[in-house]
């Protein structure tokens, strides 16, 4: 295939991936609403399912021995979610209520920074993987307990309220995601061989946006329906899954990292981005349009630093 055809096929595959993931998200939301799950916890639950593209691509990257692609995708995804998408959401909504998020935001953001910190020794090994895998359920449980106490949220299993169609469409969408992800990884590896581009950079700049199309879709839907709290909790929930996935992939096969100037720069800038998110969330319990613009600018700085240094 020619380069133009490969790029075209990659774009079409990403669009189809976004559509498939969006279908899963819509019907998972239906199931969540039937369970009577509150907005905040529903957003965290959606975060798990909108991360299906990252999971599928990561699995295929491990199979094809392309760890850099998955690492760049997951780390870049955190920058996309909390810089680009959160910033644009704040700009669209003009003002987002962060009162329900500010209490656990420090712990959540510290968890997001943990993979970069653990990778300073040049790899994410088995011990690092275990740490990342253990912290996630503890953090998720703490968030659930906190929101249940604050808002009286209680998940109750009511099988008679489920629709078989929702489950069937979730399963169908998941299968499509896995198949499309395999094709995307194979096409990308072929393109990388042509351009001699680093796997990490492709994952960070291209995959991170392509695999977060479902999150972008949910953010737009939340803005149109004036439910900004769903968008915020969903973005946090989705970002939380990325360190979990890194832990899972590192447990299967340790991820070797090139810790040089680009990596150190990335760690510093990502740390500053997370600090900015924390400061904005805790400032008057709102995220304003101006702060959203600053978050988008922060993402641009992070992305440009990696593009210029690699």
């Amino acid at each position: 295939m020619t380069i133009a055809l490969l790029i075209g096929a990659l774009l079409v595959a990403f669009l189809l991936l976004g559509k498939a993931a969006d279908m899963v998200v819509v019907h998972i939301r239906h199931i969540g609403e039937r369970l009577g799950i509150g907005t905040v916890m529903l957003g965290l639950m959606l975060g798990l399912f909108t991360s299906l593209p990252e999971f599928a691509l990561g699995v295929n990257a491990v199979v094809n021995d392309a760890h850099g692609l998955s690492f760049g995708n997951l780390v870049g995804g955190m920058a996309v979610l909390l810089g680009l998408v959160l910033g644009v959401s704040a700009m669209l909504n003009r003002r987002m209520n962060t009162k329900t998020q500010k209490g656990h935001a420090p712990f959540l953001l510290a968890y997001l920074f943990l993979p970069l910190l653990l990778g300073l020794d040049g790899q994410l090994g088995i011990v690092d993987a275990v740490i990342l895998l253990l912290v996630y359920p503890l953090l998720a449980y703490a968030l659930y307990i906190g929101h249940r106490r604050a808002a009286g949220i209680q998940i109750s299993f009511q099988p008679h309220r489920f629709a078989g169609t929702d489950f069937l469409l979730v399963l169908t969408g998941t299968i499509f995601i896995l198949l499309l992800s395999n094709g995307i990884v194979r096409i990308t590896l072929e393109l990388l061989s042509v351009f001699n581009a680093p796997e990490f950079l492709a994952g960070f700049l291209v995959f991170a946006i392509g695999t977060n199309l479902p999150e972008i879709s949910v953010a737009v839907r939340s803005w149109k329906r004036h439910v900004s709290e769903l968008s915020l909790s969903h973005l946090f929930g989705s970002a939380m899954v990325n360190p979990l996935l890194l832990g899972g992939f590192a447990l299967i096969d340790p991820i070797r990292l090139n810790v040089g100037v680009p990596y150190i720069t990335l760690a510093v800038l990502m740390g500053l981005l997370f600090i900015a998110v924390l400061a904005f969330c805790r400032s008057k319990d709102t995220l304003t349009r101006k702060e959203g613009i600053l978050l988008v600018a922060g993402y641009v700085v992070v992305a440009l630093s990696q593009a210029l240094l690699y």
Side-chain angles (χ1 to χ4, degrees):
M1 294 177 70
T2 66
I3 293 176
L5 284 175
L6 286 172
I7 293 175
L10 189 62
L11 291 174
V12 171
F14 269 127
L15 288 173
L16 292 175
L17 184 71
K19 290 291 185 182
D22 192 39
M23 181 173 73
V24 171
V25 169
V26 167
H27 294 283
I28 284 295
R29 189 177 68 244
H30 290 170
I31 294 171
E33 289 170 350
R34 289 190 174 97
L35 277 171
I37 300 174
T39 301
V40 173
M41 288 309 300
L42 179 58
L44 293 175
M45 187 179 78
L46 283 175
L48 278 170
F49 287 92
T50 52
S51 296
L52 274 173
E54 286 91 334
F55 170 75
L57 283 166
V59 169
N60 283 285
V62 170
V63 171
N64 289 279
D65 195 27
H67 294 289
L69 207 59
S70 180
F71 184 78
N73 176 32
L74 292 170
V75 174
M78 292 188 285
V80 168
L81 291 171
L82 298 188
L84 181 62
V85 183
L86 180 58
V88 171
S89 293
M91 291 164 62
L92 291 173
N93 289 285
R94 295 185 176 274
R95 188 173 293 274
M96 298 176 71
N97 186 352
T98 60
K99 188 174 182 179
T100 58
Q101 304 292 338
K102 70 173 186 176
H104 63 255
F107 305 101
L108 188 149
L109 292 167
Y111 180 55
L112 298 186
F113 188 70
L114 194 55
L116 289 167
L117 187 64
L118 294 173
L120 287 173
D121 63 352
Q123 75 165 4
L124 289 177
I126 294 177
V127 174
D128 303 321
V130 171
I131 292 173
L132 293 172
L133 290 171
L134 288 179
V135 172
Y136 178 86
L138 294 175
L139 182 58
Y141 181 71
L143 296 184
Y144 168 67
I145 293 299
H147 286 301
R148 188 179 66 178
R149 288 174 178 171
I153 297 168
Q154 182 70 50
I155 299 176
S156 57
F157 187 72
Q158 302 177 51
H160 63 280
R161 301 187 69 188
F162 281 95
T165 303
D166 286 321
F167 279 112
L168 180 60
L169 290 173
V170 167
L171 179 61
T172 301
T174 302
I175 292 172
F176 271 108
I177 287 170
L178 293 171
L179 293 174
L180 287 165
S181 298
N182 182 265
I184 287 172
V185 169
R186 290 178 181 276
I187 293 171
T188 302
L189 290 176
E190 191 167 342
L191 281 171
L192 290 177
S193 66
V194 173
F195 291 106
N196 196 27
E199 292 177 356
F200 171 82
L201 198 59
F204 193 91
L205 296 179
V206 180
F207 275 36
I209 292 178
T211 56
N212 281 299
L213 289 175
E215 284 82 353
I216 295 171
S217 173
V218 171
V220 172
R221 286 170 181 264
S222 300
W223 165 60
K224 288 183 176 179
R225 296 181 182 182
H226 307 289
V227 193
S228 61
E229 191 179 65
L230 175 60
S231 176
L232 182 61
S233 61
H234 168 245
L235 292 176
F236 278 166
S238 184
M240 271 178 61
V241 179
N242 287 21
L244 174 70
L245 293 178
L246 280 171
F249 298 143
L251 189 64
I252 296 171
D253 188 15
I255 301 172
R256 289 164 293 281
L257 304 169
N258 181 16
V259 181
V261 174
Y263 186 92
I264 300 299
T265 302
L266 174 65
V268 171
L269 291 178
M270 289 284 283
L272 291 174
L273 179 62
F274 292 157
I275 290 172
V277 172
L278 177 61
F280 294 159
C281 285
R282 296 173 72 90
S283 174
K284 299 180 181 179
D285 296 343
T286 57
L287 187 61
T288 66
R289 185 171 182 271
K290 289 182 179 179
E291 291 168 341
I293 293 172
L294 290 175
L295 289 179
V296 173
Y299 167 74
V300 171
V301 170
V302 174
L304 281 177
S305 73
Q306 297 306 291
L308 294 174
L309 290 173
Y310 264 93

